[in-house]
Amino acid sequence: MRDYKSLPHTRWDCKYHIVFIPKKRQKLIYGAIRKHLGETFHELAKRKGVIIEEGHLMKDHVHMCLSIPPKFAVSNVVGYLKGKSAISIAKNFRGRQRNFNGENFWARGYFVSTVGLDENMVIDYIRNQEKDDEHRDQLKFQV
């Protein structure tokens, strides 16, 4: 039996596979920024009542499996995560005290798909994404 969550008038299990990238797909997510983003995403998700089922930060993109309550639109949650994390990066790594000029770290769009009954397959894919990318890169260099 699936583990359904509850709101006052709703039983739900809404999980989404989400991927987004930094501007121009730059390889910016490493070292201290990577660690900071992991902590930031977990804190922001907790504030909204969103659960990060699985997540992985690659150098040039972010994979997450999110459990989002049905009272929130997926676009609002992704916008919230991207916007607040960009402000946090600007404050902590770019020396900005205020973000009035619209700091841009993330590209505008994102990928989303519903997880449904394939949850284990999606979570395994997110966990092994880095290994798959390294293997693909090795195949490119062996020409």
Side-chain angles (χ1 to χ4, degrees):
M1 179 90 184
R2 294 180 66 93
D3 182 29
Y4 293 103
K5 295 160 189 77
S6 294
L7 291 170
H9 302 284
T10 311
R11 301 250 319 141
W12 61 277
D13 185 33
C14 303
K15 293 182 180 150
Y16 303 92
H17 177 205
I18 296 173
V19 181
F20 51 91
I21 63 172
K23 281 263 187 205
K24 301 176 186 173
R25 200 158 181 134
Q26 296 177 40
K27 297 180 191 282
L28 300 172
I29 306 171
Y30 57 89
I33 289 179
R34 183 177 182 173
K35 185 175 188 307
H36 176 77
L37 277 175
E39 295 166 356
T40 301
F41 285 141
H42 280 281
E43 176 61 34
L44 293 172
K46 186 177 170 184
R47 287 183 197 169
K48 285 281 189 188
V50 172
I51 298 168
I52 299 176
E53 301 286 341
E54 189 70 37
H56 198 76
L57 300 168
M58 303 293 290
K59 288 183 181 179
D60 62 348
H61 63 283
V62 174
H63 278 275
M64 285 193 262
C65 181
L66 300 178
S67 181
I68 301 174
K71 65 183 180 178
F72 296 120
V74 175
S75 59
N76 289 348
V77 171
V78 174
Y80 177 77
L81 292 174
K82 287 170 63 176
K84 295 295 185 185
S85 64
I87 291 169
S88 180
I89 289 169
K91 283 183 179 179
N92 293 301
F93 296 96
R94 296 191 176 165
R96 308 261 200 284
Q97 293 303 312
R98 297 180 182 212
N99 189 30
F100 296 126
N101 63 352
E103 189 67 38
N104 293 318
F105 183 82
W106 303 110
R108 288 181 65 185
Y110 63 95
F111 165 83
V112 63
S113 72
T114 55
V115 172
L117 299 175
D118 297 329
E119 178 181 355
N120 291 333
M121 185 176 73
V122 171
I123 287 175
D124 286 342
Y125 171 76
I126 292 171
R127 283 184 184 153
N128 298 316
Q129 178 67 33
E130 193 164 18
K131 293 175 193 165
D132 291 345
D133 281 358
E134 288 173 2
H135 179 68
R136 206 171 303 122
D137 287 344
Q138 290 299 319
L139 290 175
K140 287 179 187 176
F141 293 126
Q142 292 177 359
V143 182

